[in-house]
């Protein structure tokens, strides 16, 4: 699915939620009580997909956690704002592809994300009503996240964006600018939630993020070449832009494919959540 299509669907869904608000509020009452929403925390794992993990293998999960507030619009629809922290990373050593193993690149990054999402229950959900305490749901939204890929060489940590590993900012590649460390993401996920007490719910959710960056892993286009002006007098930069030398003769000739720029990087989280209900009371109408 293209990014523009995801944006259009997301905006349409959120507008639908807003339009549905007044009607839905009248349907969420039970004995004078109304379920207004919930706030909660989540803990789980994250994984990355991109130029270093082209086959979408899930073999190097890292920690993820977050917090969110969900505003309920009736029994089926809600809007959510969330903040999520996730760690991602991967290495060519895990690949079964001969070129990737010889390329020998690796990265790690912390992700800080804020997102707005719409949640849609398959079943009526109202924790105030004992008959409607469980539902699977889907979620769709838009967010912004920060990242900063780094790697290790000789036990020392190096951030990769300032180095310009693909010639960003060099004389030889004037069209390659330093990539932004902030990008948009479009969460799309499924989950289940169950009301365990009048005050608390437990849930599990898997959410995939499409992004607008191909540099989450610092790999996208072609090698800049060992004679690139970015690396002049900078042995560390030379070593980090092409690490195939660790296996013998370097392969990083200028213009040779280093990554695949035709597809943006992505990441996914799987988290268990604990939420606390927010309810209000209204005197039942005499009518």
């Amino acid at each position: 699915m293209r990014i523009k299509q995801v944006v259009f669907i997301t905006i349409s869904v959120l507008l639908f939620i807003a339009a549905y608000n007044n009607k839905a509020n009248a349907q969420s009452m039970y004995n004078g009580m109304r379920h207004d929403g919930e706030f909660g925390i989540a803990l789980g794992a994250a994984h990355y997909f991109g130029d270093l993990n082209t086959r979408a293998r899930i073999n190097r999960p890292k920690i993820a956690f977050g917090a969110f507030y969900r505003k309920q619009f009736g029994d089926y629809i809600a809007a959510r704002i969330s903040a999520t922290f996730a760690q991602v990373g991967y290495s060519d050593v895990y690949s079964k592809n001969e070129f990737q193993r010889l390329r020998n690149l690796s990265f790690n990054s912390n992700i800080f994300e804020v997102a707005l999402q719409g949640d849609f229950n398959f079943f009526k959900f109202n924790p105030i009503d004992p008959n409607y305490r469980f539902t699977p749901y889907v979620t769709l939204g838009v967010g912004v996240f920060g990242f900063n890929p780094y790697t290790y060489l000789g036990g020392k940590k190096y951030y990769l964006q300032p180095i310009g590993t693909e010639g960003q900012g060099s004389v030889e590649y004037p069209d390659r600018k330093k990539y932004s460390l902030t990008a948009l993401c479009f969460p799309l996920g499924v989950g289940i939630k169950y009301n365990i007490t009048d005050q608390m719910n437990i849930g599990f959710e898997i959410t995939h993020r499409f992004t607008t960056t191909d540099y989450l892993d610092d790999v996208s286009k072609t090698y800049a070449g060992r004679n690139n002006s970015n690396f002049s007098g900078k042995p560390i930069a030379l070593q980090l832009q092409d690490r195939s030398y660790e296996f013998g003769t370097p392969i990083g000739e200028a213009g040779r494919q280093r990554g695949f720029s035709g597809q943006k990087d992505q990441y996914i989280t799987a988290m268990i959540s604990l939420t606390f209900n927010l309810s209000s009371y209204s005197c039942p109408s005499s009518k």
Side-chain angles (χ1 to χ4, degrees), residues 136-198:
Y137 64 90
V138 296
T139 183
L140 173 69
V142 60
V144 61
F145 69 99
F147 65 102
N148 198 358
Y150 62 89
T151 193
Y152 290 93
L153 181 64
K156 188 174 181 180
K157 181 178 180 179
Y158 295 93
Y159 285 97
L160 296 166
Q161 190 256 19
I163 292 172
T165 54
E166 293 186 353
Q168 297 97 331
S170 67
V171 174
E172 291 85 351
Y173 295 96
D175 59 320
R176 297 186 184 181
K177 308 300 181 183
K178 292 288 180 69
Y179 56 84
S180 174
L181 296 177
T182 303
L184 294 178
C185 66
F186 303 95
L188 177 63
V190 295
I192 56 173
K193 57 181 178 178
Y194 179 76
N195 174 238
I196 53 178
T197 73
D198 290 342

Side-chain angles (χ1 to χ4, degrees), residues 216-230:
L216 181 56
D217 50 19
D218 189 62
V219 180
S220 179
K221 295 181 172 64
T222 61
Y223 285 100
R226 298 187 64 81
N227 295 322
N228 185 267
S229 58
N230 255 16

Side-chain angles (χ1 to χ4, degrees), residues 14 191 241 243:
L14 295 177
Q241 64 96 26
R243 300 187 64 170

Side-chain angles (χ1 to χ4, degrees), residues 97 117 273 287:
N97 179 280
Q117 296 166 238
S273 64
K287 297 180 181 179

Side-chain angles (χ1 to χ4, degrees), residues 18-84:
Y20 191 82
N21 184 17
N22 290 335
K23 179 181 178 182
N25 278 339
Q27 298 175 340
S28 60
M29 301 290 290
Y30 180 78
N31 290 338
M33 294 294 296
R34 181 172 62 216
H35 176 52
D36 294 324
E38 53 199 298
F39 65 93
I41 55 176
L43 176 66
H47 210 287
Y48 140 91
F49 310 110
D51 296 282
L52 273 65
N53 184 16
T54 57
R55 298 186 181 275
R57 300 179 68 190
I58 302 179
N59 57 347
R60 287 298 179 273
K62 296 180 181 292
I63 193 169
F65 58 85
F68 61 92
Y69 166 70
R70 180 185 283 127
K71 170 63 177 175
Q72 199 71 32
F73 298 124
D75 302 317
Y76 295 94
I77 296 179
R80 183 200 328 179
I81 185 168
S82 62
T84 303

